[in-house]
Amino acid sequence: MSWYQLLTTVLLLIQVGLNYGLDSEPEFNDLINRRRRRGTSTGQCSGAKTCSECIKTHYTCKWCKDENYDASRCQSDLNQDLGSEECVEWVFPQSSIEPDETEFGPIIQVKPSAIKITNLRPGEERNISVTVKSSKDYPLDVYYLMDFSYSMKEDLTKLKELTSNIIDNLRDISSNYSIGFGTFVDKPTAPYAKTEPGQIERPCDNCQAVHSFNHELSMTSGDGASQALMDRLNSLSISSNVDNPEGGFEAIVQAAVCSNVIGWRDPARKVIFFATDAVFHVAGDGKLAGIVEPNEGVCGMSNNKYTRSLNQDYPSIGQLNDILIKNQVIPIFAVTAQMQSVYRELSDHLTQLSSVGKLSDNSDDVANLIKDQLESIVSSTQLNPQAPQGVTVTVVPKCSGTQEVMGNKQGCSNVKIDEEVSFSVVVKVEECKPAEEANSYSFNIEVPGIATIPITIDMTCDCECEKDQDSIFKNSDKCNGAGDLICGACQCHAESYGEYCECNQTQGKNKTACIYAKTGSICSGDNNGKCICGQCECIQPSRDNYQRWGEFCECSNYECPRNEDNQICSNNGYCFCGDCDCNKTANGTPKLSTDPQYTGKDCGCPVSKEGCIHPETGLECSGPTNGECVCGECQCKSDHYGEYCDICNNCGPLNCTLYLDCVECVYGKYDDDENAWETCNCPKSTTLSIDDTVDTSKLGRHKQCGIISYEDNCDLVFYLHYTDRGLTQQRILDEILIDRELDCPSQPNIIAIVAGVIGGILAVGILLLILWKIYTTIVDKREYTKFLEERSKAKWNTEISPVYKNPVTHHENPLSPRSPSFVYKKPDLPELPDYPSSVTEFSRTSSGTNNQLPRRYNTGDFQNRDLAPAPVEEKVINTAPPPPTKTSPDDASQSIDIASNMGDFDDILEDIQSTLSRDTVLSNPSVAGRAAPYPPPRHPGATPPNRNPRSSAPPLPQRKVLPVPDLPARDYKTLPARREESREGMEGYLESDL
């Protein structure tokens, strides 16, 4: 004993003496043994403080309710504790199965007919055996549901002709048969059908109204079935709709749920024969017509017609499946070749038993199709469990003889009449329900078309000793008066804790007894446990199936050796307190004799040596001289290799170095002498291959050798052909074969390498450019989005910026009257006689002709014009009119004919404008563009043109405009003054001409 262990024992003795007042050595040893036993409980059930908690932990856990039991009360039935044999009364509920066994008869085809499982524990699996027998003449109800859209018109005609054949085929399958008939098209509204007036009632000539589902013939049996079906078919006519999909799902649901309308029998195998040539509408398609109310899946028939089609949507595939299972109806989909793939996929999605048959274009084989599909249904048996949430049901069919497992793995096909099919049904409940709910489940296992097996499960999630008030001792002395004794264990009050409620929250806690001697830590470390009242309370890991237990929390089921894949005990054994138990499975249950056996610290080595046996020779690792089997694999000796150590490196007749000289000699002489191997001292026949290389696939057992760098870095390859003979499988060399062509290393393709490098560089560059472009685009878009967001949030100042400078520059002509620098000097003009303000008529003689003004002019018109006359220097242009007395006849001939000039006043205005613009009177663009209202000033020596077409005077020469003289300086005046002077000047010009 080390000093540390000695110190721990002394401290433990002191604690026991203080806490319990133990005076004798036997009591001390008893306490030590109790704690040691308590620490050896299995992890899966350890830690439970009450009986109910123990029972819920695992179905293998049991609770000891003896008062004086000192070991762990909650233990596994598989791994019992040291003190388990001392417990007298265990609380260990055992589940049981109570089947309702009923013998097979003409009606009963399933046994047991009902199953009740009692006391089922959480996580426990119970296996139930179910047997189904296919009896002859079992009641068979067939409902023929036909698509009555216009494309099925020919099928209806053929069906009328084959009625008797269909009835005969039903009679061959079961003499106890009945048949019904119904039709469907689609919802009688847009966009599924035409809604013009009269189109719903009569969509085509000789057609019946559009309908979702019409029940035409109830289940009819006996000799009158054929005639009843024939009469009903003859009274029916086809219908029509618009879109391609049909509303067949609505019809199937109504035919399945309206049992009283259809006339289904019970018990009976119920089959719906669904014939169509189109796809189907599903839930959600009703929104096209504004129908959003989900399909309720209840009967909505009135007078044999479905009346809720316009109020409820189409059913979904899942809803259809549930309704078929609930009502024990088996669908047979008879569709055209184009629709077979669609309905096969539908059948795969249905857990209910179903089949798909091909409906030919002319329907001549519809009678045989019905018979074949019904025989397929009758010869198939499967189970459909309808388990609620929390319950797992697994069906395993046990097909025998010619029976075959169905595609859904839940039944058998090719079942003959009076042949039984066995099923293994595994039921498991994961956990108990909440305390306020009853721990029981009820559900059915459906046998499609035959029967329903009700299943009832009663769970056990608590202990009876906790419910019985007579078994509960309040404030028991066993619990130091601080707790109640329930099911043999103390359940402490609020302020007390410990196994016997010996600890109090207000008392100090001595942690000496919690020190683990091997590590010197309290409860094997803070992450593994806590010391509470001198005892280690283990901290359970959060990961599922991981537990920690022990007196010092030193044991776990996950701190064990692992394999290379980090699997605990290689997943081949059970981890118990740091050691792998290879005789148990990973969950702690004992292995069966048929399970693979393993050994080793991590259970990674298989006990079986099958992996070491050579498949050809049957020897373990090709004999003890070649290797030995370790951990299921061959470990070869230094001179051997291979999976079975069957290849020798350089030993015996397979030593390549023994034949190098022989092979080199034969290779050089073989073309001249095929028997050169005899002269080259070869031990066996040595030949060259006929082809370039030896065909090793036809060579048998051989070893490849070679002479390295025989010629120009090329290798000479040869093969040693051998066989194993005798009981010792001794290897004997048979012959040596040499490759005719040397094995030369291939030359590198320089062009391909260069092209690849260049292409790679270009590809990388293009890729980098693309990435850069993507990056910049993303960044720019992000920045622009950010800019738009900031701009939308900004509040701009509406005042003009102090640094703003107008980009428009104004330049003014100083000679323009509009310019502020222009000074107008009024010319000296002679006084003019008074003229009337309105000139109504002027006449003047010119060449003996009287001319009269064609219009009326008002001088006021001229006075209101905002025009300034051009400044004219007095020396250059004299605007004063000449004296009348000095006018000579020559001058008279050159005088202006006012009437002539006024005859075309537009020309006069044009001349005025032209003159003013040339004389720079109106340099302002806004004024120069307007026609001048005054006649232009004339130079004294100028002769105006003769504008009178009636004048006999010769035409005057073209008027010449004088050049603009240099203008003197002008005085500045205000704009109104300049305008007034300009007006007066222009009036002077006009008066002088007149």
Side-chain angles (χ1 to χ4, degrees):
M1 179 181 292
S2 64
W3 66 270
Y4 182 83
Q5 292 175 334
L6 179 61
L7 178 62
T8 303
T9 304
V10 173
L11 293 175
L12 180 60
L13 177 61
I14 294 173
Q15 181 192 11
V16 171
L18 293 175
N19 291 341
Y20 298 97
L22 302 178
D23 298 328
S24 61
E25 184 177 357
E27 292 182 355
F28 172 74
N29 292 333
D30 181 64
L31 175 63
I32 296 297
N33 291 332
R34 286 203 312 267
R35 294 199 171 184
R36 183 178 294 113
R37 290 198 301 268
R38 184 163 51 245
T40 56
S41 175
T42 55
Q44 196 160 23
C45 299
S46 65
K49 301 301 181 183
T50 64
C51 181
S52 296
E53 185 179 351
C54 178
I55 296 301
K56 294 178 182 178
T57 301
H58 195 264
Y59 67 92
T60 60
C61 296
K62 60 183 180 179
W63 177 267
C64 181
K65 66 176 186 178
D66 291 354
E67 294 182 10
N68 298 322
Y69 187 68
D70 296 324
S72 176
R73 292 186 178 275
C74 188
Q75 300 181 15
S76 174
D77 187 56
L78 302 176
N79 300 288
Q80 293 185 352
D81 216 344
L82 293 176
S84 61
E85 67 278 358
E86 301 175 3
C87 182
V88 177
E89 190 174 1
W90 289 99
V91 178
F92 188 38
Q94 298 287 324
S95 62
S96 61
I97 300 176
E98 301 175 4
D100 185 3
E101 297 288 352
T102 306
E103 296 298 328
F104 289 121
I107 300 300
I108 303 299
Q109 291 187 283
V110 178
K111 67 176 184 179
S113 57
I115 300 173
K116 182 179 182 179
I117 304 176
T118 58
N119 295 329
L120 187 66
R121 304 274 296 276
E124 183 181 5
E125 294 182 351
R126 290 310 306 258
N127 197 322
I128 305 172
S129 296
V130 177
T131 304
V132 180
K133 182 180 179 180
S134 180
S135 302
K136 186 178 181 181
D137 293 334
Y138 187 78
L140 175 63
D141 290 351
V142 180
Y143 191 79
Y144 199 114
L145 187 57
M146 183 175 180
D147 179 5
F148 254 44
S149 59
Y150 198 80
S151 57
M152 296 287 289
K153 182 177 181 180
E154 185 176 349
D155 298 74
L156 176 60
T157 304
K158 293 295 181 181
L159 181 62
K160 296 177 182 179
E161 300 174 358
L162 299 173
T163 302
S164 59
N165 294 341
I166 294 175
I167 299 301
D168 293 340
N169 290 337
L170 292 180
R171 190 179 294 108
D172 293 339
I173 298 173
S174 175
S175 59
N176 189 4
Y177 73 91
S178 64
I179 188 170
F181 185 77
T183 64
F184 69 91
V185 183
D186 211 335
K187 292 182 181 292
T189 184
Y192 319 109
K194 296 180 181 180
T195 56
E196 290 83 355
Q199 290 294 322
I200 296 295
E201 294 76 12
R202 188 178 179 184
C204 54
D205 295 338
N206 298 323
C207 291
Q208 65 170 311
V210 182
H211 55 277
S212 293
F213 170 60
N214 286 351
H215 172 57
E216 306 295 348
L217 179 65
S218 297
M219 288 295 173
T220 305
S221 60
D223 298 335
S226 177
Q227 187 61 38
L229 179 60
M230 175 68 72
D231 295 341
R232 191 56 186 159
L233 289 175
N234 291 331
S235 65
L236 297 178
S237 58
I238 207 70
S239 185
S240 177
N241 64 327
V242 176
D243 63 339
N244 186 34
E246 313 294 0
F249 278 11
E250 281 186 317
I252 295 177
V253 168
Q254 292 302 307
V257 300
C258 298
S259 178
N260 295 332
V261 177
I262 304 300
W264 296 112
R265 294 180 295 175
D266 194 15
R269 183 179 277 112
K270 307 169 187 177
V271 179
I272 292 180
F273 189 84
F274 184 84
T276 184
D277 63 347
V279 296
F280 43 81
H281 280 296
V282 294
D285 291 352
K287 293 182 179 180
L288 297 175
I291 303 174
V292 295
E293 182 181 347
N295 194 289
E296 297 178 352
V298 297
C299 185
M301 301 293 291
S302 177
N303 296 326
N304 292 332
K305 295 183 178 180
Y306 180 46
T307 59
R308 308 186 68 179
S309 175
L310 300 180
N311 303 109
Q312 295 184 3
D313 195 6
Y314 299 97
S316 64
I317 295 178
Q319 187 179 16
L320 176 68
N321 181 68
D322 293 341
I323 290 175
L324 291 176
I325 293 177
K326 181 179 180 181
N327 293 276
Q328 288 291 298
V329 177
I330 301 173
I332 297 177
F333 301 104
V335 296
T336 56
Q338 295 81 1
M339 294 292 106
Q340 274 197 302
S341 60
V342 176
Y343 282 87
R344 287 192 187 280
E345 185 175 357
L346 171 63
S347 179
D348 294 338
H349 282 79
L350 297 177
T351 57
Q352 172 67 307
L353 182 64
S354 60
S355 66
V356 179
K358 181 181 178 181
L359 190 64
S360 62
D361 294 337
N362 54 16
S363 300
D364 287 339
D365 60 344
V366 65
N368 295 329
L369 176 62
I370 295 176
K371 180 180 180 180
D372 295 340
Q373 294 300 317
L374 287 177
E375 288 179 346
S376 175
I377 293 297
V378 172
S379 63
S380 299
T381 303
Q382 74 174 38
L383 300 184
N384 291 332
Q386 307 300 306
Q389 186 176 3
V391 180
T392 303
V393 180
T394 305
V395 177
V396 180
K398 299 179 181 179
C399 306
S400 60
T402 59
Q403 301 173 0
E404 297 180 359
V405 179
M406 299 176 63
N408 57 9
K409 309 296 183 182
Q410 293 193 163
C412 301
S413 59
N414 297 330
V415 180
K416 298 179 180 179
I417 299 298
D418 294 333
E419 198 171 53
E420 297 183 1
V421 180
S422 298
F423 295 88
S424 177
V425 181
V426 181
V427 180
K428 178 181 179 181
V429 180
E430 297 295 339
E431 58 185 11
C432 294
K433 291 184 179 180
E436 61 274 8
E437 299 182 20
N439 281 296
S440 61
Y441 296 90
S442 297
F443 60 95
N444 296 327
I445 297 179
E446 306 289 348
V447 185
I450 298 178
T452 299
I453 305 175
I455 306 294
T456 304
I457 300 176
D458 291 333
M459 300 285 295
T460 296
C461 298
D462 48 24
C463 302
E464 292 296 330
C465 57
E466 294 177 343
K467 300 178 182 179
D468 187 6
Q469 296 297 324
D470 296 337
S471 301
I472 300 176
F473 300 95
K474 300 287 186 179
N475 301 320
S476 173
D477 294 338
K478 186 78 174 180
C479 304
N480 295 311
D484 302 333
L485 187 64
I486 302 175
C487 293
C490 290
Q491 294 187 9
C492 303
H493 296 165
E495 296 182 355
S496 301
Y497 61 95
E499 184 178 2
Y500 300 104
C501 306
E502 70 275 13
C503 298
N504 192 279
Q505 297 286 353
T506 60
Q507 298 176 351
K509 302 176 178 60
N510 193 335
K511 298 184 178 181
T512 306
C514 298
I515 298 176
Y516 186 39
K518 290 185 178 180
T519 61
S521 59
I522 298 176
C523 297
S524 302
D526 294 338
N527 295 329
N528 297 328
K530 295 181 180 181
C531 185
I532 301 177
C533 197
Q535 297 182 7
C536 288
E537 294 289 341
C538 300
I539 300 175
Q540 299 301 327
S542 58
R543 188 168 179 178
D544 294 341
N545 300 325
Y546 276 19
Q547 288 90 25
R548 177 168 290 278
W549 69 93
E551 181 181 1
F552 303 102
C553 301
E554 73 279 7
C555 293
S556 69
N557 65 346
Y558 56 89
E559 293 178 336
C560 289
R562 301 171 181 247
N563 61 2
E564 296 178 354
D565 297 332
N566 199 32
Q567 293 177 326
I568 301 174
C569 298
S570 303
N571 204 27
N572 298 321
Y574 177 66
C575 178
F576 183 81
C577 203
D579 297 326
C580 291
D581 187 353
C582 301
N583 295 324
K584 296 180 181 179
T585 61
N587 58 7
T589 57
K591 289 185 177 180
L592 302 177
S593 58
T594 57
D595 294 335
Q597 303 298 323
Y598 293 87
T599 186
K601 290 185 177 181
D602 61 349
C603 298
C605 296
V607 177
S608 174
K609 296 183 179 181
E610 294 180 359
C612 300
I613 305 301
H614 198 289
E616 297 181 1
T617 63
L619 296 177
E620 180 181 323
C621 297
S622 301
T625 58
N626 296 356
E628 60 180 349
C629 185
V630 178
C631 251
E633 297 180 353
C634 287
Q635 290 189 356
C636 305
K637 295 184 178 180
S638 58
D639 54 348
H640 289 80
Y641 65 95
E643 182 180 2
Y644 303 102
C645 303
D646 56 342
I647 302 176
C648 181
N649 289 325
N650 292 302
C651 57
L654 301 184
N655 190 345
C656 296
T657 58
L658 299 177
Y659 313 105
L660 298 181
D661 295 336
C662 161
V663 170
E664 188 174 357
C665 177
V666 172
Y667 187 78
K669 299 180 180 180
Y670 188 80
D671 291 337
D672 299 332
D673 184 9
E674 294 184 357
N675 294 323
W677 66 275
E678 297 177 353
T679 59
C680 291
N681 297 324
C682 295
K684 290 293 181 178
S685 173
T686 305
T687 58
L688 264 68
S689 62
I690 300 176
D691 300 327
D692 294 338
T693 58
V694 176
D695 187 3
T696 58
S697 62
K698 301 179 180 179
L699 191 57
R701 306 199 69 182
H702 64 279
K703 179 182 178 182
Q704 180 177 338
C705 304
I707 302 176
I708 307 302
S709 300
Y710 175 76
E711 180 181 334
D712 295 334
N713 294 326
C714 297
D715 301 338
L716 179 60
V717 180
F718 62 95
Y719 302 89
L720 304 179
H721 181 211
Y722 66 93
T723 54
D724 296 332
R725 301 176 184 175
L727 297 177
T728 60
Q729 297 293 307
Q730 183 179 2
R731 293 178 176 176
I732 306 298
L733 180 66
D734 293 334
E735 60 178 336
I736 302 174
L737 300 176
I738 308 173
D739 283 346
R740 182 176 296 273
E741 184 179 355
L742 297 177
D743 185 12
C744 300
S746 58
Q747 298 296 327
N749 192 341
I750 304 300
I751 297 178
I753 294 175
V754 173
V757 172
I758 295 175
I761 294 174
L762 291 176
V764 171
I766 294 173
L767 179 61
L768 291 177
L769 288 175
I770 293 174
L771 294 177
W772 174 82
K773 181 62 178 176
I774 294 174
Y775 172 76
T776 55
T777 302
I778 295 174
V779 172
D780 291 346
K781 185 176 181 180
R782 188 178 301 166
E783 292 294 333
Y784 181 68
T785 304
K786 184 178 179 182
F787 164 73
L788 293 179
E789 292 177 355
E790 292 178 353
R791 189 177 69 174
S792 62
K793 298 177 181 179
K795 296 181 180 180
W796 300 102
N797 192 351
T798 57
E799 296 180 359
I800 299 177
S801 173
V803 298
Y804 172 76
K805 185 178 180 181
N806 194 344
V808 180
T809 304
H810 295 276
H811 297 278
E812 297 181 352
N813 187 355
L815 299 181
S816 172
R818 298 291 183 181
S819 176
S821 61
F822 175 78
V823 178
Y824 174 73
K825 186 177 181 181
K826 184 177 181 181
D828 296 333
L829 297 176
E831 296 182 359
L832 298 177
D834 294 334
Y835 293 96
S837 61
S838 177
V839 181
T840 58
E841 185 178 273
F842 294 88
S843 63
R844 187 165 182 177
T845 303
S846 177
S847 302
T849 305
N850 293 329
N851 296 316
Q852 191 176 12
L853 287 175
R855 302 183 184 89
R856 178 184 179 90
Y857 293 90
N858 193 329
T859 56
D861 296 337
F862 303 127
Q863 295 176 0
N864 295 330
R865 302 301 179 96
D866 188 17
L867 292 175
V872 181
E873 190 174 353
E874 198 172 9
K875 294 180 181 181
V876 180
I877 302 174
N878 188 6
T879 59
T885 56
K886 295 182 180 181
T887 301
S888 62
D890 297 333
D891 295 334
S893 63
Q894 299 178 1
S895 61
I896 300 175
D897 188 346
I898 297 302
S900 175
N901 288 335
M902 296 299 288
D904 192 355
F905 193 70
D906 293 335
D907 294 340
I908 295 175
L909 296 179
E910 181 181 355
D911 291 343
I912 294 174
Q913 181 182 3
S914 176
T915 303
L916 292 177
S917 62
R918 288 189 177 92
D919 294 340
T920 67
V921 176
L922 297 176
S923 61
N924 192 331
S926 63
V927 180
R930 293 183 291 180
Y934 307 105
R938 303 297 182 184
H939 190 269
T943 302
N946 186 3
R947 298 182 184 270
N948 188 356
R950 297 189 298 267
S951 176
S952 61
L956 297 177
Q958 182 68 31
R959 178 176 60 84
K960 296 181 180 180
V961 179
L962 297 179
V964 179
D966 295 333
L967 298 176
R970 293 171 173 81
D971 298 330
Y972 291 96
K973 293 185 178 181
T974 60
L975 181 60
R978 291 202 311 271
R979 290 179 177 175
E980 181 63 25
E981 291 178 354
S982 299
R983 186 185 62 78
E984 293 175 355
M986 291 306 297
E987 290 178 354
Y989 294 146
L990 182 59
E991 291 173 356
S992 63
D993 273 347
L994 293 176

